[in-house]
Amino acid sequence: MDKQTIGIVGARGHTGAELIRLIARHPALELAYVSSRELDGQRVDAYVPEYAGELRYSAPAPEQLPALAADVVVLALPNGKAGACVEAFDKAGADPLIVDLSADHRFDERWYYGLPELTRERWRGQRRISNPGCYATAIQLAVAPLRDLLAAPPVCFGVSGYSGAGTTPSDKNDPQKLRDNLMPYSLTGHMHERETSAHLGVPVEFMPHVAPHFRGLTVTCNLYLARPMKRDEVIGRFQHAYAGEPLVRVLDEAPWVSRIAGKHHAEIGGFAMAADGRRVVVVATLDNLLKGAATQAMQNINRAIGQGELAGIPAAERP
Ligand SMILES: NC(=O)C1=CN([C@@H]2O[C@H](COP(=O)(O)OP(=O)(O)OC[C@H]3O[C@@H](n4cnc5c(N)ncnc54)[C@H](OP(=O)(O)O)[C@@H]3O)[C@@H](O)[C@H]2O)C=CC1
Ligand SMILES: CC(=O)N[C@@H](CCC(=O)OP(=O)(O)O)C(=O)O
């Protein structure tokens, strides 16, 4: 069977590079184009050694994208930039499968919000898929199994590696400023607070920080419970919710971010109970560039092109 073609718009970035790596090993997809204004004309294999081919980066304007005729288009652009590309496809009457990694369509009900372990059954063949935020993925996975038992908003403390802040230089991805440091930011009103609240259907409070490591994030979620629970019952809920989910691992102990870097799954554990059984602390980790972005996009794409959800996601890099 012929492979389907895929274009990545914004392929110089961290998430774009991870997608190139995944597609290079994918049995049913091949790269049609990868865009970057900065790397225009340069060979892809010079930046992503896992890719073995002749393709070079190009820099099409949004209006030129439809003519490139890829079956699948991933938008890996900064927030606020997806709209012009989507408009160009609409205007040209082209209808590729579009996956937007940015936050631009996470509140648009016409788009499928693709967090497979929680929203799989809501996919009705939509050709437009909004990929969740990285922290938002971890928080939703950590809270969802207890959602109906919450007595108060979950309070979530997040720490991300600085690749989460993208490649545009800022304090949040400056290794000098991050050295020996933990940098709090957006302590109220972060986009992922709104995103998790909207998709979980309960208000979530979220306090993000960025740390000196490159990749991987931790969210530590404090959950007040409407009735006292035993730890075994709490763990049982998580094991039941994620039974048969190859990309979510439920652990007894709290997971460590250093062990999740470069892996495609999320780990959830800790389950520290307060003495009265009315409060539990759940810790989730994932690689922000993989389960928090590229791997999740690949799960969503695979499903939409009729492949198994894990096609192209290397078995050696998951549990
Ligand atoms: N990093 C992460 O952990 C996660 C990121 N995301 C989201 O995914 C998207 C991509 O993130 P990430 O890869 O980290 O971002 P980067 O900052 O690393 O890359 C952004 C890409 O967009 C291009 N770009 C930048 N500015 C513009 C512009 N004004 N117009 C057109 N292209 C532009 C850049 O290439 P060039 O300038 O060469 O054209 C680059 O390829 C973002 O929306 C981000 O919020 C989602 C989950 C996790
Ligand atoms: C460390 C850091 O800065 N992380 C990013 C999250 C990356 C992400 O998932 O971003 P989008 O929701 O924009 O897709 C942030 O807090 O904005």
Side-chain angles (χ1 to χ4, degrees):
M1 200 179 80
D2 280 349
K3 290 188 174 186
Q4 300 212 35
T5 57
I6 178 165
I8 304 173
V9 186
R12 176 180 61 80
H14 295 314
T15 60
E18 291 297 346
L19 273 166
I20 294 174
R21 285 189 189 97
L22 285 171
I23 294 158
R25 294 176 283 192
H26 199 287
L29 286 171
E30 69 185 338
L31 283 173
Y33 59 88
V34 290
S35 88
S36 161
R37 299 158 310 166
E38 200 173 304
L39 302 182
D40 187 14
Q42 302 202 44
R43 289 180 65 99
V44 175
D45 59 0
Y47 292 88
V48 185
E50 293 84 351
Y51 171 80
E54 297 301 315
L55 194 66
R56 291 173 185 267
Y57 293 92
S58 58
E63 342 30 284
Q64 294 172 304
L65 294 172
L68 302 178
D71 301 310
V72 182
V73 176
V74 179
L75 303 176
L77 297 168
N79 289 335
K81 304 287 173 201
C85 301
V86 175
E87 233 171 73
F89 286 106
D90 284 345
K91 215 167 161 189
D95 191 26
L97 178 73
I98 301 181
V99 179
D100 183 5
L101 260 51
S102 81
D104 293 355
H105 295 97
R106 294 187 194 145
F107 304 95
D108 185 333
E109 294 194 345
R110 293 166 299 177
W111 288 57
Y112 163 68
Y113 180 76
L115 203 173
E117 292 76 8
L118 300 181
T119 68
R120 218 179 252 128
E121 78 290 352
R122 287 183 228 150
W123 185 65
R124 302 266 179 273
Q126 293 94 321
R127 309 272 297 154
R128 303 215 165 161
I129 300 178
S130 173
N131 221 54
C134 49
Y135 290 119
T137 297
I139 294 172
Q140 289 177 80
L141 291 172
V143 174
L146 292 173
R147 204 185 70 103
D148 58 322
L149 281 172
L150 295 174
V155 180
C156 305
F157 177 90
V159 179
S160 173
Y162 65 88
S163 60
T167 55
T168 303
S170 75
D171 285 356
K172 289 198 288 156
N173 56 23
D174 179 340
Q176 289 309 318
K177 290 194 171 122
L178 287 167
R179 199 175 55 202
D180 302 327
N181 197 5
L182 186 63
M183 199 183 282
Y185 66 100
S186 305
L187 294 173
T188 58
H190 187 283
M191 162 72 75
H192 295 188
E193 186 173 86
R194 195 155 75 83
E195 181 181 337
T196 46
S197 301
H199 290 284
L200 277 174
V202 294
V204 172
E205 297 169 1
F206 173 49
M207 297 158 295
H209 299 69
V210 60
H213 63 281
F214 180 67
R215 61 195 296 162
L217 64 77
T218 299
V219 288
T220 299
C221 301
N222 183 71
L223 309 178
Y224 290 105
L225 302 169
R227 63 167 171 82
M229 290 181 79
K230 295 254 186 281
R231 186 168 187 265
D232 281 353
E233 190 192 350
V234 169
I235 294 177
R237 278 204 166 218
F238 281 79
Q239 284 170 336
H240 176 73
Y242 299 124
E245 288 296 351
L247 297 188
V248 179
R249 201 168 157 223
V250 178
L251 310 173
D252 189 63
E253 69 278 16
W256 285 6
V257 72
S258 58
R259 295 184 181 143
I260 206 77
K263 299 286 199 310
H264 295 279
H265 64 292
E267 292 192 343
I268 306 175
F271 308 112
M273 303 296 303
D276 66 0
R278 286 184 171 270
R279 177 167 90 89
V280 58
V281 180
V282 180
V283 181
T285 62
L286 52 76
D287 186 322
N288 52 296
L289 301 179
L290 297 177
K291 183 59 181 157
T295 303
Q296 190 136 270
M298 195 50 73
Q299 286 178 276
N300 287 322
I301 292 167
N302 281 333
R303 177 112 183 278
I305 64 171
Q307 292 287 311
E309 220 175 71
L310 298 184
I313 301 172
E317 297 168 8
R318 45 187 163 92

